[in-house]
Amino acid sequence: MSTSDSVTPLCPPELASGAKRFAVRPGFTGLHWTNVAKQLSPGGREILRRDFVPVAVETFTGTAPEFWSDWLSDAKLDDLKGLVVVLDASGTPAAWVASNQREFGGRSCFYANSAGVHPNYQGSGLSSAIWRELLRSAIVESAPRRLYAVMRTANPIVYGAWSAGAGGLDKAYPSPISTEIPDRVQRIAKDAAAYLGQLDRLDPNTLIIENAYEHTENGLWTERPTSDQDSVDSWMQASLGPKDAIMLIVAFDPIPLLFDEIVRTVRIRSGIGTAGSSRSSRKA
């Protein structure tokens, strides 16, 4: 993988056809499919199967190629609502995020299917770019109602990024700062766990799914990632076994978030820029 920002990025035409390009950072190409079943061509699918699988295995060191080959099957791809892939300068996938739209707990929810950033690019800001691209349209569609984002994860970096994006730990369930799980959130979590075939493993009072990653030998990673939030790291380390996960439910309030996005866009276009950086994330 090339990490040079000065190289004109390569992008296979068959992969790019049908996708919307979006700005990431110099040396990278962002591709966004809003209707994967119709927009991702047969040739593009074959390119992903060839180039994506080794990247995913390097990102999730506890997984096997067969897991990702199945994830890229036509049936699984056609079930996705949105797919974002970022290519590096050599045209190799560097980051990705995929989502489904699901009815959980009587609400239309954003289900984060899978996401990852290759270790070479962690800390480069790709994570915030891909999530912002995929979530923006979902938040607009949900407004003025609150958008519930749902995901199964055991990654402190993912947890920290999502809770921060929504406005803080009080917007995320479960949380290291509170043991209360509202009834509506429990209903969403139960439906999501049932969708994954793991309802019998879900504790609705903690939202922990025991043995969630049974398809792996020792969990998703040889060593669990750590974030820049010690409280989240220690909470997850104490709460989860190697193959356990949480059903993370994050509540996004559209109005303040859309206002913040407008302010951010104005600052970028006016040359003021934005403060801070985003840690990269790996999630499955």
Side-chain angles (χ1 to χ4, degrees):
M1 282 192 173
S2 170
T3 59
S4 173
D5 286 352
S6 61
V7 178
T8 301
L10 299 175
C11 181
E14 281 188 289
L15 182 60
S17 65
K20 182 192 85 172
R21 296 197 186 212
F22 67 96
V24 189
R25 49 170 284 189
F28 292 86
T29 300
L31 301 175
H32 183 185
W33 294 267
T34 56
N35 188 330
V36 178
K38 293 183 178 179
Q39 296 171 341
L40 186 56
S41 69
R45 294 167 189 242
E46 290 306 311
I47 291 172
L48 278 183
R49 290 166 186 146
R50 181 193 70 200
D51 297 342
F52 178 91
V53 172
V55 169
V57 171
E58 289 178 7
T59 303
F60 292 96
T61 54
T63 62
E66 292 76 17
F67 172 82
W68 296 105
S69 295
D70 177 68
W71 189 79
L72 288 169
S73 68
D74 283 335
K76 297 287 180 67
L77 287 173
D78 289 345
D79 190 44
L80 295 178
K81 176 176 174 61
L83 174 64
V84 168
V85 175
V86 173
L87 307 178
D88 67 9
S90 68
T92 302
W96 76 94
V97 58
S99 71
N100 305 95
Q101 185 173 340
R102 292 286 181 261
E103 190 81 12
F104 295 144
R107 293 290 299 267
S108 179
C109 297
F110 177 98
Y111 179 69
N113 184 294
S114 178
V117 177
H118 189 274
N120 284 359
Y121 301 113
Q122 292 179 8
S124 65
L126 292 185
S127 181
S128 61
I130 60 178
W131 284 118
R132 185 180 300 112
E133 173 67 22
L134 198 56
L135 264 174
R136 184 189 294 112
S137 58
I139 291 173
V140 169
E141 289 176 10
S142 176
R145 300 185 75 192
R146 174 177 289 181
L147 174 69
Y148 287 95
V150 184
M151 70 210 72
R152 180 184 63 180
T153 187
N155 191 332
I157 300 175
V158 169
Y159 184 97
W162 277 81
S163 58
L169 294 175
D170 61 326
K171 301 290 186 181
Y173 306 94
S175 170
I177 65 173
S178 174
T179 58
E180 181 183 0
I181 309 294
D183 290 342
R184 167 165 283 178
V185 171
Q186 288 194 26
R187 291 196 298 269
I188 292 173
K190 288 177 181 178
D191 282 357
Y195 165 71
L196 292 171
Q198 297 184 335
L199 178 58
D200 59 329
R201 305 179 192 183
L202 173 74
D203 182 342
N205 297 309
T206 64
L207 303 193
I208 292 175
I209 305 175
E210 291 188 3
N211 205 27
Y213 301 120
E214 63 177 349
H215 57 270
T216 65
E217 185 175 351
N218 296 300
L220 292 180
W221 310 279
T222 52
E223 182 177 351
R224 190 190 305 276
T226 57
S227 71
D228 54 4
Q229 299 185 49
D230 292 340
S231 62
V232 172
D233 291 348
S234 58
W235 168 64
M236 285 191 127
Q237 190 63 34
S239 302
L240 302 179
K243 295 187 180 183
D244 296 343
I246 61 172
M247 187 61 74
L248 175 60
I249 316 291
V250 184
F252 288 88
D253 293 311
I255 303 305
L257 288 173
L258 291 175
F259 176 77
D260 290 345
E261 182 66 17
I262 291 170
V263 171
R264 174 186 168 276
T265 301
V266 170
R267 288 174 62 87
I268 290 174
R269 290 182 179 178
S270 64
I272 299 174
T274 57
S277 61
S278 171
R279 289 286 302 274
S280 61
S281 62
R282 295 178 290 176
K283 175 249 166 222

